[in-house]
Amino acid sequence: MPTAEHLTAPLTLRQRRRAVATREIVDAAEHHIAEHGPAALSLRAVARSLGMSVQALYHYFPNRDALVTVLITKAYDDLADAVRAAVDTAPDDPAVPRFVTAAEGYRRWAIDHPELFQLLYGTPLRDYAAPAGGPTTRAMRRMSEVFQRVLFDGFTEEQLAAADIHTLSPPLRAHLEALPPDGAQALPAPASVLMLSGWGHMHGLVVLEVFGHTSFMDGHQAEIFHMAMRDLHADIHRRIPTEESRSAALAQDLVQDRSDRAQDVGSGKGAAP
């Protein structure tokens, strides 16, 4: 029986040339962003750097938004690959949680690619809106999946649902439970809150550093970040009950219930009329 590989027709010469030209355009656009920042991106400037006309470039990208969407998607994919590689290649050290390793991979990519990081998380480009549910959303979810895995692997859905957070309002809980999964599966509402809060703390420190707001630390940002991520990981896990703590809590509730029943009977409240 023919395999999928055999059933796939080889690319034509025209398709191969188009793929090469598309990669060259994307590379040139990334280089332009690295030199001038995301806000200065234009099809005319990219075409000029490649020695081609804007009209010729339109055969590959019909407008600036189409090129920006590809650039954002690629940047998210590159960032997710960097985070995943940091986790997969880290030495097996029980003293360093995988979440900390993933966060440090996130930080390193942002520092090494500040303009692309700004394209993802800086001031939104004027008149650009990412296609809803499109490739940029799918690429962003790849990274969310990595962080969901390193934060919550080993916990059951029941444990995540019982995480110790402030009481959610019914509308917020309903909204969180209706969200599509960012990782391999949908998270219970309390776990979604913990993940969003954790990402916000991690991302906020990276933004401050990339945009130059922690330069007063004089090169000690990596150590500060490492300590902050360890504390963040410990706090998140402290809020998720272990199987032992859940069993102990259930046993305590059972003892308390029996005690309350005994008091009710002794006071006559539990007696039959």
Side-chain angles (χ1 to χ4, degrees), residues 38-39 117-126 211:
F117 186 76
Q118 184 177 354
L119 174 67
L120 295 180
Y121 298 115
T123 303
L125 295 178
R126 184 182 296 274
F211 293 166

Side-chain angles (χ1 to χ4, degrees), residues 20-33 46 50 61 67 70-71 74:
V20 170
T22 300
R23 283 196 299 270
E24 289 181 352
I25 293 170
V26 172
D27 290 345
E30 287 185 330
H31 183 72
H32 187 80
I33 289 175
V46 173
L50 291 169
F61 295 96
L67 177 57
V70 170
L71 289 168
K74 184 176 182 297

Side-chain angles (χ1 to χ4, degrees), residues 76-199:
Y76 270 127
D77 280 335
D78 290 347
L79 176 53
D81 288 342
V83 172
R84 187 184 297 274
V87 174
D88 292 344
T89 62
D92 189 12
D93 184 357
V96 180
R98 292 194 305 158
F99 168 77
V100 175
T101 302
E104 290 179 328
Y106 185 97
R107 172 182 174 269
R108 279 193 299 272
W109 187 91
I111 292 172
D112 291 341
H113 307 87
E115 290 81 13
L116 291 177
F117 186 76
Q118 184 177 354
L119 174 67
L120 295 180
Y121 298 115
T123 303
L125 295 178
R126 184 182 296 274
D127 300 324
Y128 173 76
T136 58
T137 301
R138 293 192 295 271
M140 181 177 61
R141 285 178 178 167
R142 280 191 62 225
M143 186 175 58
S144 297
E145 182 177 351
V146 178
F147 277 104
Q148 178 177 324
R149 175 163 53 90
V150 296
L151 259 183
F152 298 137
D153 261 8
F155 292 111
T156 65
E157 185 173 351
E158 290 75 17
Q159 288 173 285
L160 295 177
D164 180 20
I165 63 171
H166 290 292
T167 302
L168 302 178
S169 67
L172 175 56
R173 180 177 289 275
H175 177 78
L176 291 173
E177 291 176 347
L179 289 176
D182 275 343
Q185 60 185 19
L187 291 173
S192 294
V193 171
L194 288 179
M195 185 164 177
L196 180 60
S197 177
W199 180 81

